[in-house]
Amino acid sequence: MRAAAKELGLRPREVTDAVRLDHIPTVATGVPWRRSVPRAALDRLLADQGFPELLRGRALMVNATEGAELLGVAPSRFARLARGGLLAPVDFHLNRHRVVVWRYAAAELREFAVRSGELLTGPAPEELRRAVRDGADWRPRRWRRRRTDLLSRQARDGWERAAALAAVLEPPVLAADVPDAAERALLLWLRPPLPGVPPGGSRWDVVAPLLTATDPEEARWYRAELSAALKEARAGAPVAAG
């Protein structure tokens, strides 16, 4: 990704954002979950008449404050829409105060304004206000779904796809759904990097809860998807016991 960014004259973060939004195609390498930008894709981007401004616009990310300004709403309304699951963050980072800063695609926010402009003015729907008042926060859930969807598309085979889905399940749940120790070990070894924050360190206690689907309904969806992925993986390349 750094080599691609250098050749495109972009910052590495801009390339990463564009990849996560499917604006730059990538191909698998010989290392699990390590991607590269093919030569043909670089040539196409460099030949585009609107490059690099057009790509930068498509891949622009904003935080909640910037997102509220873009939508022309108060930060409190933006937070309500995001917590209620109407806005899906692309990723997040921690600021120096160990606070989670969610990032959104600016282009998606503009589309939301066109599609659901009635939610930007006047009283918010009572169902949404009640959910947020009761403590609902769909931002981690929407991010997990988005992240695992991308990883599933990038998976080289059924085992990698299964590992992407297994990565958000609690260990006891995973043990129940994958009782074979050799298969579980493979899934853990293939576990993809979910956040951009490296595991461990003094900030991991803030990040770790965002990675796990603890809600029973959400966990059921991942378990069903994992079951299908495992069936595909076992048919293609069974794992030897031990």
Side-chain angles (χ1 to χ4, degrees):
M1 292 300 168
R2 288 188 175 275
K6 184 177 181 180
E7 183 153 352
L8 293 172
L10 301 172
R11 296 191 299 273
R13 184 63 174 268
E14 290 177 319
V15 172
T16 300
D17 290 343
V19 167
R20 289 198 172 189
L21 291 170
D22 284 336
H23 295 314
I24 296 181
T26 60
V27 294
T29 66
V31 180
W33 305 114
R34 183 173 296 175
R35 312 284 296 180
S36 66
V37 182
R39 178 74 256 170
L42 289 174
D43 291 341
R44 284 196 300 271
L45 288 168
L46 291 169
D48 282 347
Q49 190 172 10
F51 182 82
E53 288 77 13
L54 187 59
L55 179 63
R56 281 196 173 112
R58 290 172 177 167
L60 177 64
M61 298 282 194
V62 296
N63 59 29
T65 300
E66 296 163 337
E69 292 177 357
L70 190 153
L71 293 180
V73 299
S76 59
R77 181 177 286 265
F78 187 94
R80 186 182 295 125
L81 293 171
R83 288 175 176 272
L86 298 178
L87 305 175
V90 179
D91 68 1
F92 66 88
H93 66 269
L94 300 185
N95 65 17
R96 61 191 179 91
H97 302 294
R98 290 167 41 97
V99 174
V100 176
V101 178
W102 295 101
R103 299 172 73 233
Y104 304 83
E108 293 180 2
L109 297 182
R110 294 190 187 97
E111 292 172 3
F112 177 82
V114 173
R115 185 179 66 251
S116 304
E118 70 280 1
L119 294 175
L120 303 182
T121 59
E126 176 56 31
E127 182 179 358
L128 176 61
R129 285 188 291 170
R130 183 171 58 252
V132 174
R133 189 168 56 245
D134 292 343
D137 188 351
W138 279 64
R139 291 174 298 181
R141 182 168 177 167
R142 294 297 305 274
W143 170 77
R144 284 191 293 268
R145 179 68 176 272
R146 183 168 201 151
R147 185 70 177 128
T148 53
D149 279 351
L150 175 62
L151 291 168
S152 293
R153 294 195 301 273
Q154 292 179 342
R156 298 177 300 176
D157 57 26
W159 286 111
E160 283 196 358
R161 180 170 179 269
L165 297 163
V168 300
L169 290 174
E170 295 180 290
V173 174
L174 182 60
D177 287 357
V178 190
D180 184 277
E183 290 185 344
R184 281 202 314 280
L186 178 59
L187 294 179
L188 291 174
W189 182 71
L190 290 174
R191 181 186 175 96
L194 290 176
V197 181
S202 60
R203 299 185 171 193
W204 192 245
D205 62 314
V206 180
V207 173
L210 305 177
L211 311 184
T212 308
T214 56
D215 178 79
E217 180 187 355
E218 183 189 8
R220 275 195 298 272
W221 186 89
Y222 282 106
R223 295 174 74 179
E225 291 295 305
L226 174 60
S227 177
L230 286 172
K231 187 176 297 184
E232 172 195 347
R234 289 163 178 157
V239 176

